Amino acid sequence: MRHLSTFGNILQNPESLEFRLAKRQLLCKEQDSNSWFITMAEIMEKYNLAHPLDYLEKPPKKEKWKKEYKTQLKQYWHESLKKEAQEKSSLVYLSMENIKPGKPHPVWENAKRNPQESMKAAVKVKVMTGTYRLQTDRAKHSGGRISDKCKLCKQQKEDVKHFILDCENLQNQRSYYLQKIRTILQEGPNSSMIQHIFDNQRILLQMCIDCSHPEVATLIGADIQQIEMVTRALVYALHRERTALMAG
């Protein structure tokens, strides 16, 4: 962005030495030269901008240039992040539809000014991005030395579904918050979908981890931020209860 901003300043001064130098070097220098302007041409090609010579022939207004390159940079990195995320199994529950440059994910939307809510969001984001350490993770990286069984119920492997939906030792916390979600959904326009949501473990788990996922958001039909606040509290309550029980 600094390079593109500097090039924009050059474009605004057609009578300057830098402007004339830009034209000459872009026309004469080889692609493998160390010219700053050749580097600019490579940068602009990467971000799907026109060749620098095109802009030198018809310099855009400063604000138009700034808007154009910022838009292209945001689009490039947005698409790159989405593509990379789709290849990572740890991000399977993160809705990439809501990852936009300069805009917080809904998990942070009403938590950013409240320290307690921010703390809850931080835990939920770990679950959402597959970085919350469960027994399956420890077992996978231990070379078989550590069991993947849940340390609380000692019955099933402790993966994210077990933690969020299944472990009987966390049922009290889970039931309380899931009932709150039912109440919110009953008051919404899609109340007829409640049973479908709660009967489908995949959808229920997705809702608890990232309710902004398009499939879940369509089924809910209610205020996503309300559901987000409750599911954020749910994940945090499960985390605290699990931590307390494991500490003895």
Side-chain angles (χ1 to χ4, degrees), residues 21-39 41-42 51 53:
L21 184 64
K23 272 193 172 182
R24 187 166 68 249
Q25 292 204 0
L26 286 164
L27 287 168
C28 301
K29 291 286 186 179
E30 299 292 335
Q31 285 297 110
D32 58 354
S33 78
N34 292 323
S35 166
W36 184 84
F37 294 103
I38 296 299
T39 300
E42 294 171 355
H51 193 276
L53 282 171

Side-chain angles (χ1 to χ4, degrees), residues 108-166:
W108 296 110
E109 195 62 40
N110 56 13
K112 51 194 173 188
R113 294 185 181 87
N114 185 317
Q116 188 174 11
E117 290 301 317
S118 294
M119 185 165 57
K120 293 176 184 178
V123 173
K124 194 179 183 200
V125 165
K126 285 186 176 182
V127 175
M128 196 182 292
T129 55
T131 55
Y132 187 85
R133 297 279 286 176
L134 297 164
Q135 281 303 114
T136 48
D137 303 305
R138 293 187 173 91
K140 185 166 60 177
H141 296 106
S142 72
R145 295 188 301 275
I146 296 176
S147 170
D148 63 1
K149 286 288 191 294
C150 174
K151 287 190 173 183
L152 302 184
C153 68
K154 298 179 174 57
Q155 293 179 12
Q156 302 173 9
K157 68 177 183 179
E158 189 192 40
D159 56 14
V160 69
K161 178 179 176 294
H162 180 79
F163 170 57
I164 300 292
L165 298 181
D166 297 335

Side-chain angles (χ1 to χ4, degrees), residues 27-202:
L27 287 168
C28 301
K29 291 286 186 179
E30 299 292 335
Q31 285 297 110
D32 58 354
S33 78
N34 292 323
S35 166
W36 184 84
F37 294 103
I38 296 299
T39 300
M40 277 307 310
E42 294 171 355
I43 290 172
M44 291 167 75
E45 181 181 10
K46 175 179 179 178
Y47 294 110
N48 202 29
L49 293 160
H51 193 276
L53 282 171
D54 294 336
Y55 292 104
L56 290 166
E57 287 299 321
K58 192 176 180 181
K61 297 288 186 182
K62 186 174 183 179
E63 288 307 312
K64 183 181 179 182
W65 166 246
K66 184 184 289 187
K67 182 179 179 180
E68 183 176 354
Y69 79 71
K70 284 188 174 181
T71 298
Q72 291 303 114
L73 258 71
K74 285 180 179 180
Q75 183 175 336
Y76 175 88
W77 287 111
H78 184 209
E79 293 303 319
S80 295
L81 285 170
K82 280 177 69 174
K83 183 179 178 181
E84 187 177 349
Q86 286 166 359
E87 297 169 358
K88 296 185 180 297
S89 59
S90 58
L91 299 179
V92 66
Y93 295 108
L94 175 63
S95 175
M96 291 305 296
E97 300 299 319
N98 294 291
I99 306 298
K100 292 180 171 46
K103 186 176 185 295
H105 186 279
V107 71
W108 296 110
E109 195 62 40
N110 56 13
K112 51 194 173 188
R113 294 185 181 87
N114 185 317
Q116 188 174 11
E117 290 301 317
S118 294
M119 185 165 57
K120 293 176 184 178
V123 173
K124 194 179 183 200
V125 165
K126 285 186 176 182
V127 175
M128 196 182 292
T129 55
T131 55
Y132 187 85
R133 297 279 286 176
L134 297 164
Q135 281 303 114
T136 48
D137 303 305
R138 293 187 173 91
K140 185 166 60 177
H141 296 106
S142 72
R145 295 188 301 275
I146 296 176
S147 170
D148 63 1
K149 286 288 191 294
C150 174
K151 287 190 173 183
L152 302 184
C153 68
K154 298 179 174 57
Q155 293 179 12
Q156 302 173 9
K157 68 177 183 179
E158 189 192 40
D159 56 14
V160 69
K161 178 179 176 294
H162 180 79
F163 170 57
I164 300 292
L165 298 181
D166 297 335
C167 184
E168 60 185 28
N169 292 58
L170 303 175
Q171 187 58 33
N172 288 341
Q173 297 288 351
R174 185 181 298 116
S175 296
Y176 173 75
Y177 287 102
L178 288 181
Q179 184 54 49
K180 291 186 75 170
I181 292 171
R182 277 184 180 274
T183 302
I184 293 171
L185 295 179
Q186 282 167 356
E187 296 171 355
N190 287 5
S191 57
S192 61
M193 300 304 297
I194 293 175
Q195 205 54 48
H196 173 67
I197 292 170
F198 277 80
D199 286 346
N200 189 313
Q201 295 278 285
R202 179 184 62 81

